[in-house]
Amino acid sequence: MRTDDWLVERLDYIWNCYFDDVLKGFPIIIRWGPAAQRRFGSIRAKDKQSLILINGLFRRPEVPDFVIDGTMVHELAHYVHGFGSGLPKKYANPHQGGVITKELTERGCQHLEAMADKWRENNWQQFYESTGKSAATKLRNHADDLIWE
């Protein structure tokens, strides 16, 4: 099962493989976020910590590990660019001119985001309809407790 500890270990692995040259800004906290149809991950600063949330539906074993990895590298690219990390911002807009793809390509991990995108393109809607729709509806009923930034 994909526990919170599993998620932390996966982040450490991804960081060590692809981002170990980055000066750390805020310490990174990673958690499972709410089940969501359109948001796969997010990063924000909170109390001088970087909080990365990963879509709670990705806990399910039907979602390949590389989908989670691709989401993590995307959020870590934002971290490197100064979004939610306490590091100086490199760009005015977090997705300006393909900066995420460029960053991930230079780090040798763009294939993870590309594989995740392909899986979501081919499988997400059906997966969400069969497993996530009811979970997301329940969470929307408690939106005050769970907020995506």
Side-chain angles (χ1 to χ4, degrees), residues 4 10 24 27 31 39 43 50 65 76 89 94 105 117 124 126 133 137 149:
D4 290 332
R10 199 75 194 162
K24 285 213 175 173
R31 293 188 183 136
R39 185 167 308 243
I43 184 169
S50 295
D65 289 353
L76 289 173
K89 284 196 174 134
T105 299
D117 288 345
W124 182 251
Q126 181 181 355
K133 198 171 187 176
T137 301
E149 187 70 10

Coordinates of all heavy atoms in Angstrom, one line a residue, residues 4 10 24 27 31 39 43 50 65 76 89 94 105 117 124 126 133 137 149:
D4 N 2.0 7.2 3.6 CA 2.7 8.5 3.7 C 4.2 8.2 3.7 O 5.0 9.0 3.1 CB 2.3 9.3 4.9 CG 0.8 9.8 4.8 OD1 0.4 10.0 3.6 OD2 0.2 10.0 5.8
R10 N 9.8 7.8 -1.7 CA 9.8 8.0 -3.2 C 10.3 9.4 -3.5 O 11.1 9.6 -4.4 CB 8.4 7.8 -3.7 CG 8.3 7.6 -5.2 CD 8.8 6.2 -5.4 NE 9.0 6.0 -6.8 CZ 9.7 5.1 -7.4 NH1 10.2 4.1 -6.6 NH2 9.9 5.0 -8.7
K24 N 18.9 23.6 -1.1 CA 17.6 23.5 -0.5 C 17.1 24.9 0.0 O 17.9 25.6 0.7 CB 17.5 22.5 0.6 CG 17.5 21.1 0.0 CD 16.8 20.1 0.9 CE 16.7 18.8 0.2 NZ 16.1 17.8 1.0
P27 N 12.4 23.3 3.9 CA 12.3 21.8 3.9 C 11.0 21.4 3.2 O 9.9 22.1 3.3 CB 12.2 21.5 5.4 CG 12.2 22.8 6.1 CD 12.4 23.9 5.2
R31 N 2.7 15.1 1.0 CA 1.5 14.3 1.6 C 0.6 14.0 0.4 O 0.6 14.6 -0.6 CB 0.7 15.2 2.5 CG 1.5 15.6 3.8 CD 0.5 16.3 4.7 NE 1.3 16.7 5.9 CZ 1.2 17.8 6.5 NH1 0.3 18.7 6.0 NH2 1.9 18.1 7.6
R39 N -6.5 18.1 -10.8 CA -5.2 18.5 -10.2 C -4.5 17.3 -9.7 O -4.9 16.5 -8.9 CB -5.4 19.4 -9.0 CG -4.1 19.9 -8.4 CD -4.2 21.1 -7.5 NE -5.0 22.2 -8.0 CZ -4.5 23.4 -8.2 NH1 -3.2 23.6 -8.0 NH2 -5.3 24.4 -8.6
I43 N 2.3 22.5 -5.2 CA 3.4 22.9 -4.2 C 3.0 24.3 -3.8 O 2.6 25.2 -4.5 CB 4.8 22.9 -4.9 CG1 5.8 23.2 -3.8 CG2 4.9 23.8 -6.1 CD1 7.3 22.9 -4.2
S50 N 7.9 23.8 2.4 CA 7.3 23.6 1.1 C 6.4 22.4 1.3 O 6.8 21.3 1.7 CB 8.4 23.2 0.1 OG 9.2 24.3 -0.1
D65 N 3.5 3.6 -10.6 CA 4.5 4.4 -9.9 C 5.0 5.6 -10.7 O 5.2 6.7 -10.2 CB 5.7 3.6 -9.4 CG 5.4 2.6 -8.3 OD1 4.2 2.6 -7.8 OD2 6.2 1.8 -8.0
L76 N 8.8 19.4 -8.2 CA 10.2 19.7 -7.8 C 10.8 20.7 -8.8 O 11.6 21.6 -8.4 CB 11.0 18.5 -7.7 CG 10.7 17.6 -6.5 CD1 11.5 16.3 -6.6 CD2 11.0 18.3 -5.2
K89 N 12.7 33.4 -7.2 CA 12.0 33.0 -8.3 C 12.8 33.3 -9.6 O 13.3 34.4 -9.8 CB 10.6 33.8 -8.4 CG 9.7 33.2 -7.4 CD 8.2 33.7 -7.7 CE 7.3 32.9 -6.7 NZ 6.4 33.8 -6.1
P94 N 4.9 30.2 -13.4 CA 5.5 28.9 -13.2 C 5.6 28.0 -14.4 O 6.4 27.0 -14.4 CB 4.6 28.3 -12.1 CG 3.4 29.1 -12.1 CD 3.7 30.4 -12.6
T105 N 14.1 18.1 -18.8 CA 15.0 17.6 -19.8 C 16.4 17.7 -19.4 O 17.2 16.8 -19.5 CB 14.7 18.3 -21.2 OG1 13.3 18.0 -21.5 CG2 15.6 17.8 -22.3
D117 N 2.0 11.8 -18.3 CA 1.1 12.5 -19.2 C 0.4 11.5 -20.1 O -0.8 11.6 -20.3 CB 1.7 13.6 -20.0 CG 2.1 14.8 -19.2 OD1 1.7 14.9 -18.0 OD2 2.9 15.6 -19.7
W124 N -6.9 8.2 -17.6 CA -7.3 8.9 -16.5 C -8.9 9.0 -16.4 O -9.5 8.8 -15.3 CB -6.7 10.3 -16.4 CG -7.2 11.1 -15.2 CD1 -8.1 12.1 -15.2 CD2 -6.9 10.8 -13.8 NE1 -8.3 12.5 -13.9 CE2 -7.6 11.7 -13.0 CE3 -6.1 9.8 -13.2 CZ2 -7.5 11.7 -11.7 CZ3 -6.1 9.8 -11.8 CH2 -6.8 10.8 -11.1
Q126 N -11.3 7.2 -17.6 CA -12.0 6.0 -17.2 C -11.7 5.6 -15.7 O -12.6 5.2 -15.0 CB -11.6 4.9 -18.1 CG -12.2 3.5 -17.8 CD -11.8 2.4 -18.7 OE1 -11.0 2.6 -19.7 NE2 -12.2 1.2 -18.4
K133 N -14.6 9.4 -8.8 CA -15.7 10.4 -8.8 C -16.4 10.4 -7.5 O -16.7 11.5 -7.0 CB -16.6 10.0 -10.0 CG -17.5 11.2 -10.3 CD -18.3 10.8 -11.6 CE -19.0 12.0 -12.1 NZ -19.7 11.7 -13.4
T137 N -16.4 13.6 -4.9 CA -17.7 14.2 -4.5 C -17.7 14.3 -3.0 O -18.1 15.3 -2.4 CB -18.8 13.4 -5.0 OG1 -18.7 13.4 -6.4 CG2 -20.2 14.0 -4.6
E149 N -4.0 24.6 -3.0 CA -3.5 26.0 -3.2 C -3.3 26.2 -4.7 O -2.8 25.5 -5.4 CB -2.2 26.1 -2.5 CG -1.7 27.6 -2.4 CD -2.6 28.5 -1.6 OE1 -3.4 28.0 -0.8 OE2 -2.4 29.7 -1.7

